[in-house]
Amino acid sequence: MPNYGGTMVHRQLRVNNQPAVKKEDRERPKVSLNKSAIIRRLGALESYQIALQTLDLIRSNVVSCRFVLPKRLAPTARHHDLVNEFERAVARVVLTHPHMQVGIAGAKTSTPSWVRLDSINLGKVIKWQTVKGGDDAFQKEFQQTLNREADTRFIKFRVEPGWRIMVLRSEADTSFIEILLMFNHTHLDGVSCKNFYRELLTHLHASASGLHGSPQASHNPFLIDHILTLSPTSALVASLPPPPEYILPFPVDPTAFEHFFKHEIQTPSSQYPRNVATHAHWAPIQLTSPDTVPFRSQIRTMTFPANISEELVQACRKQGATLTALLHGIALVSLAPLRELVAKADAFAFLTPMNIRRYLPSPYSKGRTGCVKNRLDAETAMGNYVTIIEHVADEELVGRVRRTLTESKYVSGCNFQPNPRAAEAEEVLSEVHDLIFVAARRVRADLTAKSESCSPRGLENDMIGFVSRGVSDWRKQLQEEVQRPRKSSWVVSNLGAVEGKPFCTLEEGQEEKEDGWSITRISMTLCANVVASAFGIAVASVKGGDLVVSVSWQEGVVDEKVGDAFVVAMEKWLRLWKVCSDCN
């Protein structure tokens, strides 16, 4: 089955409009559930993601942001006020977005449902920690916290929300806080987290400016002693954003679907092809176990200043590519030459998650059935609105990369030593620059083709359309998937750039205050995915600020030396980009 990269979907099959209930589900012990709390069945993407969670194939993705505090809240003596103001702002965001207010019933069945939570104890889902020492100590603690939180499971799906927050403060520098938002991909996607931080910044700014009343006197009647009382079920039924397949058609070619169903659904894992050149044979799927193979993500982070980020963007525009496509090209030239992979990988498949909000109908228009209304404001909605695009670097392109790099002084096994002063430097750098953009333009062409496949009939021949017709039980399907070869070597998820200052309209004669809440840094980290891509590459930035690229992999599946060599190579090619460009 094509690799889902953590973002593939299905729609439950129905007979006479009734949910399909399997024998094994009927035989499971009954769990007491107030039926009035049920909102709706999980949709396509949502059902896939909860299956990943309950089978322990994925844990927590993380989006972190550094917020600069107003001077009035920076002193340690004002910490209590800071906690209260922050909690009130989070509460306002949560009450705006139904997907932050719901749990999941029947998470381990083939028919999971969204259910209303009565309340959320913000004192439990928001944790604070003060880090002793200077900047080095803070960065070390941040990295340790990031690793720990990425590997922490969501377990109590029925009674807890699909998100949690960790806030770090430096004892030495109290001018900022580092916020880590961990999310269950069933509830939210990356754009949802981006929206969360944008709205959080807006509410914090409004509180500081007195737009919600004075920061000390501001009162939310739904928030008492850290307990946030949530919307009633009837309100959530009316406002919970619908899954994409409810409001957008996903037509597929019948012949292509027949091939897909026979090859990916009906073929037993024991008979599944094992000699496909693009499969990641070098990183076979390995299930985790608390006793023998614990779930552990290896995470590396690269930070590039604004000038390098701008150079990369300008180069992409000049070459007709995008930053996402460029990162794919750099990943290719960084991974393919490693000696440990030369004998095991003649070609590569890799993935791009794509936000499909732009293709959804406008709010309150008729759905695809003509009777279901679209309540989704795609620009601000939180939920899961992504699909996946697969790309291929064939044997010919991989061979060119290896001939250019493996025979030079630049690569020796896992030791990557680019030296721009070497005799052949200019020639090699020029060739690598060209190869990166050959790959990047192919990726850009794939992305453009996907965009052009959206017609008045819907998003045609998208993987959502294939799996929504072919998969009725994702837990069963994934239990087959883990016995097959890994299909994807890496995935690149680009969160884009966020605005660091709050959006607000100034009244006539009013001046913008320099002292206030702002965002100076953002990063996204993908936890290990047992069944999907071997490497998870995520990129994010603040407008005019640093570009942060993270790379993660499953410990024990990717050799640490290979993983580190891959990261070192990517970073050096990104930092050498200006040199590469000057050689052309």
Side-chain angles (χ1 to χ4, degrees):
M1 192 171 202
N3 192 287
Y4 311 116
T7 52
M8 276 295 89
V9 301
H10 94 294
R11 182 176 68 236
Q12 295 286 350
L13 302 180
R14 291 179 171 84
V15 179
N16 296 327
N17 292 322
Q18 296 299 314
V21 180
K22 297 190 173 297
K23 180 180 179 181
E24 57 266 31
D25 294 335
R26 293 197 300 268
E27 293 174 348
R28 287 191 178 97
K30 299 296 183 181
V31 177
S32 177
L33 175 66
N34 179 3
K35 290 185 178 181
S36 65
I38 296 177
I39 301 168
R40 65 164 170 83
R41 285 271 300 279
L42 266 66
L45 171 58
E46 299 160 346
S47 296
Y48 170 67
Q49 290 293 341
I50 194 59
L52 284 173
Q53 288 282 341
T54 57
L55 292 171
D56 199 19
L57 301 177
I58 191 172
R59 293 200 172 175
S60 300
N61 292 330
V62 186
V63 177
S64 63
C65 265
R66 176 168 294 193
F67 275 58
V68 174
L69 308 179
K71 291 181 180 179
R72 64 181 176 83
L73 291 176
T76 305
R78 299 295 304 277
H79 181 75
H80 181 72
D81 294 332
L82 170 63
V83 171
N84 287 340
E85 196 164 321
F86 181 83
E87 193 173 274
R88 288 194 296 267
V90 171
R92 291 180 184 276
V93 179
V94 172
L95 291 175
T96 305
H97 294 283
H99 268 116
M100 299 191 78
Q101 304 178 46
V102 291
I104 300 171
K108 293 185 179 181
T109 74
S110 63
T111 58
S113 297
W114 291 116
V115 293
R116 172 185 179 265
L117 300 177
D118 294 330
S119 62
I120 296 176
N121 186 338
L122 295 184
K124 288 186 176 181
V125 298
I126 303 174
K127 300 293 186 182
W128 291 76
Q129 179 183 345
T130 299
V131 181
K132 296 181 179 181
D135 184 64
D136 290 344
F138 184 85
Q139 292 304 321
K140 180 180 180 181
E141 182 60 35
F142 169 75
Q143 194 63 43
Q144 290 176 347
T145 303
L146 178 64
N147 280 65
R148 182 176 62 252
E149 292 295 339
D151 289 343
T152 299
R153 297 186 70 177
F154 287 94
I155 298 176
K156 299 179 180 179
F157 304 105
R158 171 63 184 84
V159 296
E160 293 182 350
W163 56 273
R164 62 183 185 273
I165 292 172
M166 186 74 190
V167 186
L168 299 180
R169 292 198 75 182
S170 170
E171 185 180 62
D173 183 358
T174 61
S175 66
F176 70 91
I177 55 176
E178 196 81 44
I179 306 168
L180 293 86
L181 172 64
M182 284 64 68
F183 64 101
N184 177 341
H185 215 323
T186 314
H187 293 246
L188 309 172
D189 58 13
V191 173
S192 301
C193 297
K194 191 175 176 180
N195 290 342
F196 170 85
Y197 279 118
R198 185 191 67 241
E199 294 182 27
L200 179 65
L201 180 63
T202 298
H203 287 303
L204 288 168
H205 172 77
S207 177
S209 302
L211 299 180
H212 292 330
S214 70
Q216 291 76 22
S218 178
H219 176 64
N220 185 332
F222 299 100
L223 179 63
I224 301 175
D225 293 333
H226 308 292
I227 305 299
L228 179 64
T229 301
L230 301 175
S231 307
T233 303
S234 58
L236 290 174
V237 169
S239 61
L240 187 72
E245 68 271 23
Y246 282 21
I247 52 178
L248 181 69
F250 290 90
V252 297
D253 177 75
T255 302
F257 175 75
E258 182 180 359
H259 172 78
F260 163 82
F261 189 76
K262 181 178 180 181
H263 182 70
E264 302 293 349
I265 309 301
Q266 294 184 324
T267 301
S269 295
S270 59
Q271 300 175 24
Y272 198 82
R274 305 278 166 172
N275 59 350
V276 178
T278 57
H279 285 173
H281 302 289
W282 57 276
I285 291 173
Q286 181 173 308
L287 294 177
T288 62
S289 166
D291 299 324
T292 57
V293 186
F295 190 109
R296 189 169 292 131
S297 304
Q298 287 287 336
I299 300 170
R300 305 291 185 268
T301 303
M302 301 171 273
T303 302
F304 303 94
N307 64 308
I308 292 181
S309 176
E310 182 60 28
E311 288 172 2
L312 294 171
V313 171
Q314 292 299 329
C316 290
R317 290 173 180 167
K318 182 179 178 181
Q319 295 287 340
T322 63
L323 182 58
T324 300
L326 175 67
L327 286 169
H328 276 302
I330 289 177
L332 174 63
V333 301
S334 300
L335 188 62
L338 298 182
R339 182 179 297 164
E340 288 73 12
L341 270 65
V342 169
K344 299 179 181 179
D346 296 327
F348 295 95
F350 44 99
L351 307 173
T352 303
M354 188 178 78
N355 179 12
I356 61 172
R357 285 167 169 81
R358 73 189 80 173
Y359 307 115
L360 300 177
S362 58
Y364 305 106
S365 63
K366 287 186 177 181
R368 62 183 180 84
T369 65
C371 59
V372 178
K373 297 290 185 178
N374 170 28
R375 300 178 297 273
L376 176 71
D377 182 352
E379 292 299 318
T380 61
M382 293 189 189
N384 246 313
Y385 297 99
V386 289
T387 187
I388 202 78
I389 302 172
E390 186 177 44
H391 317 281
V392 170
D394 57 23
E395 291 92 331
E396 186 273 335
L397 179 56
V398 172
R400 288 173 60 188
V401 170
R402 286 175 173 157
R403 284 192 297 274
T404 300
L405 288 172
T406 57
E407 298 175 1
S408 75
K409 299 177 182 178
Y410 281 68
V411 177
S412 176
C414 283
N415 295 315
F416 189 84
Q417 300 294 338
N419 178 7
R421 295 190 180 126
E424 80 279 19
E426 185 172 332
E427 180 180 350
V428 172
L429 290 173
S430 178
E431 290 180 14
V432 171
H433 177 276
D434 292 342
L435 289 169
I436 288 172
F437 272 116
V438 167
R441 281 190 286 268
R442 291 184 184 182
V443 170
R444 176 66 183 272
D446 292 339
L447 299 176
T448 300
K450 171 60 66 176
S451 298
E452 293 175 349
S453 71
C454 190
S455 69
R457 295 181 59 235
L459 197 57
E460 300 183 14
N461 291 320
D462 184 84
M463 188 53 64
I464 293 176
F466 285 101
V467 298
S468 65
R469 291 162 172 81
V471 182
S472 58
D473 185 339
W474 265 116
R475 285 176 57 84
K476 180 179 178 181
Q477 181 62 31
L478 285 170
Q479 287 166 342
E480 287 290 315
E481 291 286 322
V482 298
Q483 301 177 61
R484 298 175 179 178
R486 188 185 304 274
K487 298 177 181 67
S488 169
S489 289
W490 69 84
V491 59
V492 173
S493 183
N494 187 353
L495 191 61
V498 301
E499 183 61 61
K501 294 184 178 181
F503 175 80
C504 58
T505 302
L506 297 177
E507 297 181 1
E508 186 177 353
Q510 185 180 12
E511 296 183 359
E512 183 177 358
K513 294 182 179 180
E514 291 294 329
D515 173 37
W517 290 92
S518 63
I519 299 174
T520 58
R521 175 185 167 91
I522 185 170
S523 66
M524 179 166 68
T525 303
L526 307 178
C527 70
N529 190 317
V530 174
V531 74
S533 302
F535 286 111
I537 304 169
V539 57
S541 66
V542 174
K543 291 181 181 179
D546 292 345
L547 177 74
V548 182
V549 180
S550 74
V551 181
S552 55
W553 64 88
Q554 183 184 346
E555 182 177 299
V557 172
V558 176
D559 185 276
E560 190 169 349
K561 291 183 178 179
V562 172
D564 284 334
F566 176 61
V567 173
V568 168
M570 282 196 70
E571 182 168 11
K572 289 189 175 180
W573 283 123
L574 284 163
R575 294 193 185 281
L576 278 171
W577 192 253
K578 186 68 166 59
V579 178
C580 293
S581 300
D582 291 343
C583 292
N584 283 264

